[in-house]
Amino acid sequence: MKREVKPYILLLPAAVVLFGILASGIIMALAQSLGYMPIIGIRELTFKYYVSIISDKSFLESLIFSLKISLISSIIAVIVGVVLAYSMLINKHRVSIKKTLYILPIIVPHMVASFLMFNILSQSGLLPRILYGLGILKEQSQFPNLIFDRHGIGIIMTYLWKEIPFVAMVVYAFMSNINRNLEDVAVNLGASRRQRFWYIILPLSWPSIISSFIYYYLSFSIWCI
C-alpha cells in the first residue's frame, strides 16, 4: 500500500503548484472576460462582451474558418502519421527514422515554423525565387498564393509539417506494444501485410489514433482562434 501511494505523495507538491498556476490563470481570464479588472477600475460583471463577439459576423466567419482548417489539418496529419508509424514498425532502420522525426519538429517552435513557411511559400519567398531562377516561372507572381489565401493552404502545410511526426510517434509507440503473436498467427493463416495492417494493427491502434486526433484538433483550434 505504501509503495502504491508513495509516488503520488512525492508528486503532490509539484502537482499542487502546477494546478494552482493553471487554475489561477483560468479564473483570472474568466473574470476579465466578464469585465472584472480592478487594476483599471472596472468591477462590474457583465456578459455584454460575449454578446458583442458572438453577434460579430467577422468573428463568426473567422471562427468557422479556423475550425475548418483545424479539422482538415488534423485528419490529414492523423492519416499520414499512421502510415508513417506503420512504416517505421516494419522498417529495419526505424531507429534512425524515429530520431529524425523527433528532432525536426521539436527543435522548431510553432512561431518559427510559421515564419519559415512564410519566407518559403510566399510569392516573394525562397521557393518562388528558386523556381524563377531555374526558369520554371517567368515571374515570381506566377507562383500560387499559398499565404493569406482563402483556403488556408499555407496554414495547413505548416501544421502538417509540425504535427505529422508527433502523431507518428504516438501511434508508433502503441503499435510497437501490440502482441506480435497475433501477426504470426495471421501470417500462418496466409494473411498478406496489407491484411495484417487493416485487420490487426489498425483496429488495435484505434485508441491512440482517436486520442491523437482529438488532442491535435482541439489544440490547433485553440491556437488558430
Side-chain angles (χ1 to χ4, degrees):
M1 185 66 181
K2 290 182 179 180
R3 289 182 179 179
E4 295 178 356
V5 176
K6 185 176 179 180
Y8 297 100
I9 295 176
L10 294 175
L11 291 172
L12 185 60
V16 170
V17 173
L18 293 175
F19 179 77
I21 295 173
L22 178 64
S24 62
I26 294 175
I27 293 172
M28 289 179 61
L30 180 61
Q32 291 180 4
S33 68
L34 294 174
Y36 184 77
M37 290 181 283
I39 193 171
I40 59 175
I42 301 177
R43 300 176 181 274
E44 181 183 358
L45 297 178
T46 178
F47 286 97
K48 66 180 181 181
Y49 304 110
Y50 284 97
V51 175
S52 177
I53 291 177
I54 294 174
S55 59
D56 188 348
K57 183 179 178 181
S58 60
F59 171 78
L60 294 177
E61 292 176 352
S62 176
L63 178 62
I64 294 173
F65 176 79
S66 299
L67 295 176
K68 182 181 70 174
I69 294 299
S70 302
L71 180 61
I72 295 173
S73 302
S74 300
I75 291 174
I76 298 175
V78 168
I79 293 174
V80 179
V82 170
V83 174
L84 279 177
Y86 185 67
S87 67
M88 287 191 294
L89 190 68
I90 63 177
N91 196 314
K92 295 180 180 179
H93 305 287
R94 58 180 177 268
V95 175
S96 60
I97 296 175
K98 281 171 60 180
K99 289 181 179 179
T100 303
L101 291 175
Y102 267 127
I103 293 172
L104 284 178
I106 291 175
I107 62 177
V108 181
H110 281 83
M111 293 301 296
V112 176
S114 302
F115 183 74
L116 287 175
M117 285 296 181
F118 179 84
N119 283 278
I120 293 173
L121 299 178
S122 63
Q123 291 183 323
S124 60
L126 180 62
L127 184 56
R129 292 181 184 180
I130 293 175
L131 296 177
Y132 175 75
L134 295 174
I136 299 176
L137 297 178
K138 294 182 180 180
E139 297 180 359
Q140 288 184 210
S141 59
Q142 292 180 337
F143 188 79
N145 185 20
L146 301 179
I147 307 297
F148 304 121
D149 65 303
R150 60 183 298 179
H151 301 293
I153 297 176
I155 301 174
I156 293 174
M157 293 176 67
T158 304
Y159 179 75
L160 294 178
W161 182 80
K162 282 288 295 178
E163 304 305 336
I164 285 176
F166 287 101
V167 175
M169 288 299 99
V170 172
V171 178
Y172 171 78
F174 198 92
M175 286 183 176
S176 60
N177 289 318
I178 294 176
N179 192 341
R180 298 270 75 85
N181 292 331
L182 297 174
E183 283 196 81
D184 294 338
V185 172
V187 172
N188 291 332
L189 293 175
S192 64
R193 176 172 290 178
R194 186 174 67 176
Q195 289 174 326
R196 297 199 303 270
F197 172 75
W198 281 108
Y199 296 107
I200 298 176
I201 302 297
L202 187 61
L204 294 176
S205 302
W206 270 118
S208 63
I209 296 172
I210 294 174
S211 61
S212 298
F213 172 79
I214 294 174
Y215 172 78
Y216 291 115
Y217 176 66
L218 293 178
S219 62
F220 187 58
S221 298
I222 295 172
W223 182 59
C224 286
I225 295 172

